[in-house]
């Protein structure tokens, strides 16, 4: 099986090359990524618990899904593809913002991503792919915020960073 390639970018999100995913995480090279936040009509966020065999952050809770765009794939196409692959459903997604972050892991790998954050709405239960996802749950945004403060060790490093950005974005949008 050919290793997945990530899209290397500069800080303006201009593609500058491709690199195997593991190598990009070993070298902490800036690459394009996306994070999907699916909410239901009650305003609850669908979280996923990563599968036990994942090479980093196994069994930790994170946003609905996240991954990397493929060469030639739009952000929204990538988000819809991976949402279906991991969570087993489709919904309309809207890109709400992007930002750069860097998150090192205990195993020597580092996420250094220009992350495109997308939001969608879904009001049914997912059909999770057990190869990717161990479990899921719905939580209010306030409950997620509080739980990250109380139990940061049960969440992925990137989710803590991205959730803070997402939460602040929603707060600004509500005020506007």
């Amino acid at each position: 099986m050919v290793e997945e390639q990530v899209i290397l970018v500069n800080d303006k999100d201009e593609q500058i090359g491709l690199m195997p995913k593991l190598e990009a995480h070993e070298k902490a090279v800036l690459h394009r990524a996306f994070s999907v936040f699916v909410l239901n009509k009650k305003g609850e966020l669908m979280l996923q618990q990563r599968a036990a065999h994942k090479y980093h952050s196994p069994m930790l809770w994170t946003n609905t899904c996240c991954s990397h765009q493929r060469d030639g794939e739009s952000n929204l196409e990538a988000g819809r593809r991976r949402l279906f692959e991991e969570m087993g459903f489709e919904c309309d997604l809207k890109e709400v913002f992007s930002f750069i972050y860097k998150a090192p892991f205990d195993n020597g790998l580092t996420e250094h991503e220009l992350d495109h954050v997308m939001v969608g709405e879904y009001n049914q239960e997912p059909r999770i792919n057990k190869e990717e996802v161990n479990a899921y749950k719905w939580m209010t945004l306030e409950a997620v915020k509080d739980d990250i403060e109380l139990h940061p060790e049960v969440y992925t490093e990137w989710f803590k960073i991205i959730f803070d950005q997402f939460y602040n974005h929603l707060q600004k949008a509500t005020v506007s």
Side-chain angles (χ1 to χ4, degrees):
M1 187 169 146
V2 176
E3 185 180 354
E4 184 180 345
Q5 301 268 309
V6 296
I7 300 168
L8 304 181
V9 294
N10 61 23
D11 62 359
K12 294 177 182 68
D13 199 23
E14 297 166 334
Q15 184 170 340
I16 57 174
L18 298 172
M19 183 179 281
K21 181 170 78 170
L22 186 57
E23 182 181 352
H25 291 135
E26 289 168 342
K27 294 179 175 177
V29 179
L30 182 62
H31 57 280
R32 190 175 291 153
F34 64 88
S35 297
V36 175
F37 286 74
V38 172
L39 301 160
N40 63 21
K41 62 185 166 201
K42 295 188 253 178
E44 296 169 321
L45 174 62
M46 181 187 291
L47 299 177
Q48 71 151 274
Q49 184 182 41
R50 290 170 58 82
H53 68 273
K54 291 287 197 173
Y55 70 90
H56 69 76
S57 308
M59 299 301 287
L60 295 182
W61 289 95
T62 197
N63 51 294
T64 314
C65 85
C66 53
S67 190
H68 304 93
Q69 296 85 335
R70 293 178 177 158
D71 192 27
E73 186 177 46
S74 77
N75 298 328
L76 292 173
E77 288 168 342
R80 285 191 295 268
R81 171 185 52 81
R82 196 66 186 148
L83 184 62
F84 187 77
E85 289 171 358
E86 290 187 14
M87 304 304 288
F89 68 89
E90 296 174 340
C91 69
D92 288 337
L93 297 175
K94 179 176 82 169
E95 190 171 339
V96 288
F97 65 93
S98 61
F99 74 109
I100 294 173
Y101 75 94
K102 196 170 192 177
F105 301 116
D106 292 340
N107 64 3
L109 301 177
T110 300
E111 290 280 14
H112 188 196
E113 298 185 334
L114 196 156
D115 192 40
H116 294 266
V117 179
M118 302 171 214
V119 66
E121 183 180 310
Y122 189 70
N123 293 294
Q124 299 173 46
E125 298 308 311
R127 293 178 307 280
I128 60 174
N129 175 351
K130 288 299 215 171
E131 289 297 310
E132 300 288 340
V133 180
N134 186 62
Y136 77 95
K137 62 183 173 182
W138 294 97
M139 290 177 74
T140 66
L141 297 177
E142 290 301 323
V144 173
K145 184 177 185 297
D146 293 344
D147 200 49
I148 287 173
E149 288 178 24
L150 290 171
H151 306 287
E153 71 282 357
V154 303
Y155 294 95
T156 63
E157 288 303 316
W158 66 86
F159 178 63
K160 291 181 273 190
I161 295 166
I162 297 164
F163 179 79
D164 187 56
Q165 294 282 327
F166 181 71
Y167 186 85
N168 290 331
H169 175 81
L170 290 180
Q171 297 306 307
K172 288 177 193 166
T174 303
V175 172
S176 300

